[in-house]
Amino acid sequence: MGRMTTAWRWWIDGLVDAVLLVRRRLDRRRCLRLVAEEGGYAIVRPDGRRLRRRLVTTRTGDEVRFEPDRLARRLAGRAVEVVVPDGRCVAMRLGPLPAESRAFLGEVIDHRLARVVPWPRADVVRVHRVEPVGEGDPRLMVAVEATSRAALLPVVAGLRRVGATRVEAVRLDAAGTVAAVFPLAAETERRRGVERRIVFALAAVVVLAGLAAHRSIDAIGESEARLEEIDGRIA
């Protein structure tokens, strides 16, 4: 029973990841990116072109504000991705790990990361993906990427103040596509929780419908068997 529950949870999590990926790709059609430059950020449009003017950041304590205000207002109502430079990311691979370690994978990752990242444990935000070792091999390979939450949260908060609707911190690969999305805030977890409940409900409906159909088929089969038995007795 425990294995079935675990397998069900993995399946649901996989479906949630797929739903969020599709939604993110749809959002990306009108998503703006902020790329860090000296003293501010360049704004990159969905078609890959940079705006001529850039956002300049000013700090008052831990609060970040963007100037000029007119340019910052263009972010209102838009999804925004803050690009994390490679130099601020730590990447590592773990494994091969026993298949049973999936149940406590988070603890394994945190323990290993604590040895290599320069930030306090509470400041680390990470993302990981599980990869198979090879065909027929149940062991796991885990790719992990981490960055500093404290370095990004003031920028994220500043973007929300100017009205950005969805803010995410991402790392890009060499081709300029998103390779990692860092879950920076409760909003990200809330969105994942909502999607998880929706997917769970839909999956439950599908499973229950399948069970109902299976029982109906069994009932029909039993009815036919009884009719054949009755026909035999009559004959």
Side-chain angles (χ1 to χ4, degrees), residues 201-217:
L202 292 176
V205 169
V206 171
V207 171
L208 290 175
L211 289 174
H214 180 72
R215 289 178 180 176
S216 297
I217 292 173

PDB file of all heavy atoms in Angstrom, residues 201-217:
ATOM      1  N   ALA A 201      -7.606  16.149  -8.416  1.00  0.00           N
ATOM      2  CA  ALA A 201      -9.042  15.945  -8.602  1.00  0.00           C
ATOM      3  C   ALA A 201      -9.342  15.311  -9.957  1.00  0.00           C
ATOM      4  O   ALA A 201     -10.143  14.375 -10.056  1.00  0.00           O
ATOM      5  CB  ALA A 201      -9.777  17.281  -8.464  1.00  0.00           C
ATOM      6  N   LEU A 202      -8.692  15.817 -11.020  1.00  0.00           N
ATOM      7  CA  LEU A 202      -8.921  15.261 -12.355  1.00  0.00           C
ATOM      8  C   LEU A 202      -8.451  13.815 -12.435  1.00  0.00           C
ATOM      9  O   LEU A 202      -9.116  12.957 -13.023  1.00  0.00           O
ATOM     10  CB  LEU A 202      -8.201  16.115 -13.399  1.00  0.00           C
ATOM     11  CG  LEU A 202      -8.759  17.529 -13.615  1.00  0.00           C
ATOM     12  CD1 LEU A 202      -7.891  18.295 -14.599  1.00  0.00           C
ATOM     13  CD2 LEU A 202     -10.198  17.476 -14.109  1.00  0.00           C
ATOM     14  N   ALA A 203      -7.280  13.541 -11.835  1.00  0.00           N
ATOM     15  CA  ALA A 203      -6.757  12.176 -11.857  1.00  0.00           C
ATOM     16  C   ALA A 203      -7.683  11.236 -11.096  1.00  0.00           C
ATOM     17  O   ALA A 203      -7.925  10.100 -11.518  1.00  0.00           O
ATOM     18  CB  ALA A 203      -5.353  12.144 -11.253  1.00  0.00           C
ATOM     19  N   ALA A 204      -8.217  11.704  -9.961  1.00  0.00           N
ATOM     20  CA  ALA A 204      -9.144  10.885  -9.181  1.00  0.00           C
ATOM     21  C   ALA A 204     -10.401  10.568  -9.987  1.00  0.00           C
ATOM     22  O   ALA A 204     -10.912   9.444  -9.954  1.00  0.00           O
ATOM     23  CB  ALA A 204      -9.499  11.601  -7.882  1.00  0.00           C
ATOM     24  N   VAL A 205     -10.900  11.582 -10.723  1.00  0.00           N
ATOM     25  CA  VAL A 205     -12.089  11.371 -11.561  1.00  0.00           C
ATOM     26  C   VAL A 205     -11.803  10.309 -12.627  1.00  0.00           C
ATOM     27  O   VAL A 205     -12.622   9.413 -12.864  1.00  0.00           O
ATOM     28  CB  VAL A 205     -12.521  12.695 -12.219  1.00  0.00           C
ATOM     29  CG1 VAL A 205     -13.565  12.437 -13.297  1.00  0.00           C
ATOM     30  CG2 VAL A 205     -13.068  13.657 -11.174  1.00  0.00           C
ATOM     31  N   VAL A 206     -10.628  10.419 -13.268  1.00  0.00           N
ATOM     32  CA  VAL A 206     -10.275   9.452 -14.308  1.00  0.00           C
ATOM     33  C   VAL A 206     -10.164   8.046 -13.729  1.00  0.00           C
ATOM     34  O   VAL A 206     -10.680   7.072 -14.300  1.00  0.00           O
ATOM     35  CB  VAL A 206      -8.940   9.863 -14.970  1.00  0.00           C
ATOM     36  CG1 VAL A 206      -8.438   8.745 -15.895  1.00  0.00           C
ATOM     37  CG2 VAL A 206      -9.114  11.151 -15.761  1.00  0.00           C
ATOM     38  N   VAL A 207      -9.502   7.933 -12.565  1.00  0.00           N
ATOM     39  CA  VAL A 207      -9.337   6.614 -11.943  1.00  0.00           C
ATOM     40  C   VAL A 207     -10.687   6.037 -11.540  1.00  0.00           C
ATOM     41  O   VAL A 207     -10.979   4.861 -11.781  1.00  0.00           O
ATOM     42  CB  VAL A 207      -8.403   6.719 -10.719  1.00  0.00           C
ATOM     43  CG1 VAL A 207      -8.410   5.410  -9.934  1.00  0.00           C
ATOM     44  CG2 VAL A 207      -6.993   7.036 -11.168  1.00  0.00           C
ATOM     45  N   LEU A 208     -11.530   6.857 -10.919  1.00  0.00           N
ATOM     46  CA  LEU A 208     -12.849   6.377 -10.499  1.00  0.00           C
ATOM     47  C   LEU A 208     -13.705   5.984 -11.697  1.00  0.00           C
ATOM     48  O   LEU A 208     -14.444   4.990 -11.650  1.00  0.00           O
ATOM     49  CB  LEU A 208     -13.553   7.459  -9.672  1.00  0.00           C
ATOM     50  CG  LEU A 208     -12.955   7.729  -8.286  1.00  0.00           C
ATOM     51  CD1 LEU A 208     -13.659   8.904  -7.628  1.00  0.00           C
ATOM     52  CD2 LEU A 208     -13.054   6.485  -7.411  1.00  0.00           C
ATOM     53  N   ALA A 209     -13.620   6.777 -12.779  1.00  0.00           N
ATOM     54  CA  ALA A 209     -14.364   6.439 -13.990  1.00  0.00           C
ATOM     55  C   ALA A 209     -13.887   5.106 -14.558  1.00  0.00           C
ATOM     56  O   ALA A 209     -14.681   4.283 -15.017  1.00  0.00           O
ATOM     57  CB  ALA A 209     -14.210   7.550 -15.023  1.00  0.00           C
ATOM     58  N   GLY A 210     -12.555   4.913 -14.517  1.00  0.00           N
ATOM     59  CA  GLY A 210     -12.008   3.643 -14.999  1.00  0.00           C
ATOM     60  C   GLY A 210     -12.481   2.465 -14.159  1.00  0.00           C
ATOM     61  O   GLY A 210     -12.830   1.402 -14.696  1.00  0.00           O
ATOM     62  N   LEU A 211     -12.488   2.658 -12.831  1.00  0.00           N
ATOM     63  CA  LEU A 211     -12.959   1.586 -11.954  1.00  0.00           C
ATOM     64  C   LEU A 211     -14.442   1.298 -12.188  1.00  0.00           C
ATOM     65  O   LEU A 211     -14.871   0.141 -12.208  1.00  0.00           O
ATOM     66  CB  LEU A 211     -12.734   1.985 -10.492  1.00  0.00           C
ATOM     67  CG  LEU A 211     -11.277   2.005 -10.017  1.00  0.00           C
ATOM     68  CD1 LEU A 211     -11.196   2.562  -8.601  1.00  0.00           C
ATOM     69  CD2 LEU A 211     -10.671   0.606 -10.070  1.00  0.00           C
ATOM     70  N   ALA A 212     -15.223   2.378 -12.373  1.00  0.00           N
ATOM     71  CA  ALA A 212     -16.653   2.197 -12.629  1.00  0.00           C
ATOM     72  C   ALA A 212     -16.878   1.441 -13.932  1.00  0.00           C
ATOM     73  O   ALA A 212     -17.729   0.548 -14.012  1.00  0.00           O
ATOM     74  CB  ALA A 212     -17.353   3.558 -12.671  1.00  0.00           C
ATOM     75  N   ALA A 213     -16.107   1.808 -14.966  1.00  0.00           N
ATOM     76  CA  ALA A 213     -16.244   1.122 -16.250  1.00  0.00           C
ATOM     77  C   ALA A 213     -15.855  -0.348 -16.118  1.00  0.00           C
ATOM     78  O   ALA A 213     -16.507  -1.242 -16.677  1.00  0.00           O
ATOM     79  CB  ALA A 213     -15.381   1.819 -17.294  1.00  0.00           C
ATOM     80  N   HIS A 214     -14.777  -0.589 -15.347  1.00  0.00           N
ATOM     81  CA  HIS A 214     -14.328  -1.969 -15.152  1.00  0.00           C
ATOM     82  C   HIS A 214     -15.403  -2.788 -14.432  1.00  0.00           C
ATOM     83  O   HIS A 214     -15.689  -3.934 -14.817  1.00  0.00           O
ATOM     84  CB  HIS A 214     -13.030  -1.970 -14.345  1.00  0.00           C
ATOM     85  CG  HIS A 214     -12.487  -3.341 -14.082  1.00  0.00           C
ATOM     86  ND1 HIS A 214     -11.918  -4.113 -15.070  1.00  0.00           N
ATOM     87  CD2 HIS A 214     -12.438  -4.083 -12.940  1.00  0.00           C
ATOM     88  CE1 HIS A 214     -11.532  -5.270 -14.560  1.00  0.00           C
ATOM     89  NE2 HIS A 214     -11.834  -5.274 -13.269  1.00  0.00           N
ATOM     90  N   ARG A 215     -16.010  -2.187 -13.410  1.00  0.00           N
ATOM     91  CA  ARG A 215     -17.069  -2.894 -12.684  1.00  0.00           C
ATOM     92  C   ARG A 215     -18.294  -3.129 -13.572  1.00  0.00           C
ATOM     93  O   ARG A 215     -18.944  -4.173 -13.469  1.00  0.00           O
ATOM     94  CB  ARG A 215     -17.459  -2.095 -11.447  1.00  0.00           C
ATOM     95  CG  ARG A 215     -16.380  -2.105 -10.366  1.00  0.00           C
ATOM     96  CD  ARG A 215     -16.767  -1.258  -9.172  1.00  0.00           C
ATOM     97  NE  ARG A 215     -15.735  -1.283  -8.154  1.00  0.00           N
ATOM     98  CZ  ARG A 215     -15.776  -0.565  -7.027  1.00  0.00           C
ATOM     99  NH1 ARG A 215     -16.845   0.220  -6.804  1.00  0.00           N
ATOM    100  NH2 ARG A 215     -14.797  -0.639  -6.157  1.00  0.00           N
ATOM    101  N   SER A 216     -18.596  -2.157 -14.423  1.00  0.00           N
ATOM    102  CA  SER A 216     -19.735  -2.318 -15.333  1.00  0.00           C
ATOM    103  C   SER A 216     -19.500  -3.481 -16.283  1.00  0.00           C
ATOM    104  O   SER A 216     -20.398  -4.285 -16.555  1.00  0.00           O
ATOM    105  CB  SER A 216     -19.959  -1.029 -16.128  1.00  0.00           C
ATOM    106  OG  SER A 216     -20.305   0.037 -15.270  1.00  0.00           O
ATOM    107  N   ILE A 217     -18.261  -3.555 -16.787  1.00  0.00           N
ATOM    108  CA  ILE A 217     -17.929  -4.659 -17.698  1.00  0.00           C
ATOM    109  C   ILE A 217     -18.036  -5.995 -16.974  1.00  0.00           C
ATOM    110  O   ILE A 217     -18.567  -6.982 -17.500  1.00  0.00           O
ATOM    111  CB  ILE A 217     -16.512  -4.461 -18.268  1.00  0.00           C
ATOM    112  CG1 ILE A 217     -16.512  -3.231 -19.192  1.00  0.00           C
ATOM    113  CG2 ILE A 217     -16.048  -5.696 -19.012  1.00  0.00           C
ATOM    114  CD1 ILE A 217     -15.126  -2.840 -19.672  1.00  0.00           C
TER     115      ILE A 217
END
